[in-house]
Amino acid sequence: MKRLVVDGYGKFIRREGDQILVTEKGRVLHRILAENLRQVVVVGNGGISFDAMELLGECGVDLIKVDWKGEVVCRLSSSMMRTVQTRREQYAAYNDHRGGHISRAIILAKAKNQYAVLGTLAKSRVDTAPSVSKALMDARCAVAENLSSIEQVPEVAPSKIRGALMGIEGNCSKIYWEAISEIFPNAFGFIGRSGRYARDPINAMLNYGYALLEGEVWHGVHYAGLDPYGGFIHVDRPGKASMVLDLMEEFRQQIVDKSVISLVTHGAVKTDDFENEGGLCILNERSRRLLVETVESTFEEYVRYADLKIRWTDLIMRQAVEVAKYLRGESPRYESFYLRW
């Protein structure tokens, strides 16, 4: 199953029989059987026919639109899968220990992934930049000191532990990003994670990469029959896909952060690959294409995890299914994802 990325301007997506065609000024750029697709990601401006949308829906192919700021602005998908029991349990779990169990497991996995990434970055700089390597290892130790605090948070209703968990998570992320800021060239102006409305290239790339990850996690959450908006860690807010954002926390570091770090530290993107628009930093076509290609190719790469050799995209779906199985009582606990180092 493939993912089709439609980038640039003036592209049009249409149907021809059982195939999806991408055209530009009447010229066919891509042609693929819809049944061989798992997702279509549109990151430019163009159009799509109703027939093409219908075919994508029939084949269970997600259609995601990402805007210039790196935010998922819309998503079309086929009809829901096994939802009733899963969703009833998901809503009930918000008020009992199961929601707390999932919240704690995800935050613990995020911290452990930060710990692992810092270790990987430090190891690769032992000879070339020993002082930076030491700073990364010191940060790694500081993150490790928070792990036991997370494990001590009781498994009760999420609303009762959200403040404690987010406080520890915030502390770990501050340590993580301050250490990683040491490896980026000063010209990129990165002083820490700022979230939406990026004003520097690194945050702009992170936002865009997270939007791509959001689309992938959304696919898994939808497939598992979970309500994308019924999260446990992130608070309810109209239009906020809290369950998707919750599960994303396990994958940000290994998929997006490492992709951005690699592109910048290997010189694949330069500071002139970005534009300033109203005080906001945005990716130009070249840097956007590089980032999309890197993150999308990572989704298709294999990773060894829990005695499995599995593609990242399948691992994301597996984790969503594991959440659903735990909520339905088919598993005694939820095993969150993290890589050891």
Side-chain angles (χ1 to χ4, degrees), residues 64-76:
I64 295 171
K65 176 71 176 73
V66 180
D67 71 5
W68 62 273
K69 296 191 295 294
E71 296 180 8
V72 176
V73 292
C74 67
R75 177 179 182 277
L76 300 177

Side-chain angles (χ1 to χ4, degrees), residues 64 176 190 247 284 326:
I64 295 171
Y176 173 76
F190 180 77
L247 196 58
N284 68 11
Y326 170 70

Side-chain angles (χ1 to χ4, degrees), residues 144-161:
E145 292 173 358
N146 286 271
L147 298 181
S148 61
S149 298
I150 299 172
E151 291 170 334
Q152 290 171 13
V153 174
E155 292 183 352
V156 295
S159 60
K160 298 180 180 177
I161 58 172

Side-chain angles (χ1 to χ4, degrees), residues 92-154:
Y94 184 79
N95 295 310
D96 64 35
H97 71 282
R98 292 173 298 173
H101 172 76
I102 292 172
S103 300
R104 195 179 73 174
I106 288 176
I107 295 300
L108 186 61
K110 178 177 183 177
K112 288 185 175 181
N113 276 314
Q114 291 172 331
Y115 174 86
V117 170
L118 289 170
T120 301
L121 296 174
K123 183 180 179 181
S124 63
R125 287 163 175 80
V126 169
D127 297 325
T128 58
S131 62
V132 173
S133 176
K134 182 180 183 307
L136 291 165
M137 286 303 290
D138 289 345
R140 185 173 186 258
C141 292
V143 169
E145 292 173 358
N146 286 271
L147 298 181
S148 61
S149 298
I150 299 172
E151 291 170 334
Q152 290 171 13
V153 174

Side-chain angles (χ1 to χ4, degrees), residues 89-336:
E89 297 297 338
Q90 182 181 359
Y91 301 144
Y94 184 79
N95 295 310
D96 64 35
H97 71 282
R98 292 173 298 173
H101 172 76
I102 292 172
S103 300
R104 195 179 73 174
I106 288 176
I107 295 300
L108 186 61
K110 178 177 183 177
K112 288 185 175 181
N113 276 314
Q114 291 172 331
Y115 174 86
V117 170
L118 289 170
T120 301
L121 296 174
K123 183 180 179 181
S124 63
R125 287 163 175 80
V126 169
D127 297 325
T128 58
S131 62
V132 173
S133 176
K134 182 180 183 307
L136 291 165
M137 286 303 290
D138 289 345
R140 185 173 186 258
C141 292
V143 169
E145 292 173 358
N146 286 271
L147 298 181
S148 61
S149 298
I150 299 172
E151 291 170 334
Q152 290 171 13
V153 174
E155 292 183 352
V156 295
S159 60
K160 298 180 180 177
I161 58 172
R162 181 178 293 117
L165 280 176
M166 295 307 287
I168 303 170
E169 184 275 337
N171 187 42
C172 290
S173 292
K174 183 173 183 292
I175 295 168
Y176 173 76
W177 286 115
E178 283 183 352
I180 288 179
S181 70
E182 297 291 326
I183 69 175
F184 291 129
N186 292 333
F188 280 83
F190 180 77
I191 57 175
R193 182 77 183 112
S194 64
R196 301 175 67 185
Y197 306 114
R199 297 184 181 279
D200 64 87
I202 303 297
N203 274 299
M205 293 180 74
L206 289 170
N207 289 347
Y208 219 96
Y210 292 150
L212 298 173
L213 176 60
E214 181 181 340
E216 193 68 23
V217 174
W218 200 314
H219 178 75
V221 166
H222 174 75
Y223 176 84
L226 295 163
D227 182 345
Y229 298 94
F232 302 109
I233 303 170
H234 293 83
V235 296
D236 293 346
R237 188 178 300 165
K240 184 176 181 179
S242 297
M243 187 68 246
V244 176
L245 297 175
D246 284 1
L247 196 58
M248 274 179 64
E249 301 292 357
E250 297 184 13
F251 298 99
R252 291 176 185 264
Q253 304 76 34
Q254 300 291 351
I255 295 178
V256 179
D257 297 357
K258 289 172 75 172
S259 293
V260 171
I261 290 168
S262 177
L263 286 171
V264 174
T265 59
H266 287 87
V269 294
K270 312 291 185 184
T271 52
D272 57 7
D273 286 321
F274 301 85
E275 299 170 358
N276 187 294
E277 187 167 310
L280 301 180
C281 181
I282 60 175
L283 287 70
N284 68 11
E285 185 172 347
R286 178 180 177 279
S287 56
R288 185 175 64 247
R289 186 179 66 253
L290 279 171
L291 178 62
V292 170
E293 288 175 354
T294 302
V295 174
E296 296 291 342
S297 65
T298 300
F299 287 144
E300 301 302 323
E301 292 176 357
Y302 285 84
V303 58
R304 288 201 174 277
Y305 174 66
D307 298 326
L308 295 173
K309 184 179 180 183
I310 186 171
R311 290 188 309 170
W312 283 103
T313 185
D314 295 325
L315 179 58
I316 291 171
M317 185 176 296
R318 176 183 182 274
Q319 290 304 104
V321 170
E322 290 300 315
V323 169
K325 288 170 65 177
Y326 170 70
L327 291 172
R328 293 194 299 267
E330 297 169 12
S331 300
R333 58 185 292 107
Y334 170 64
E335 299 289 348
S336 53

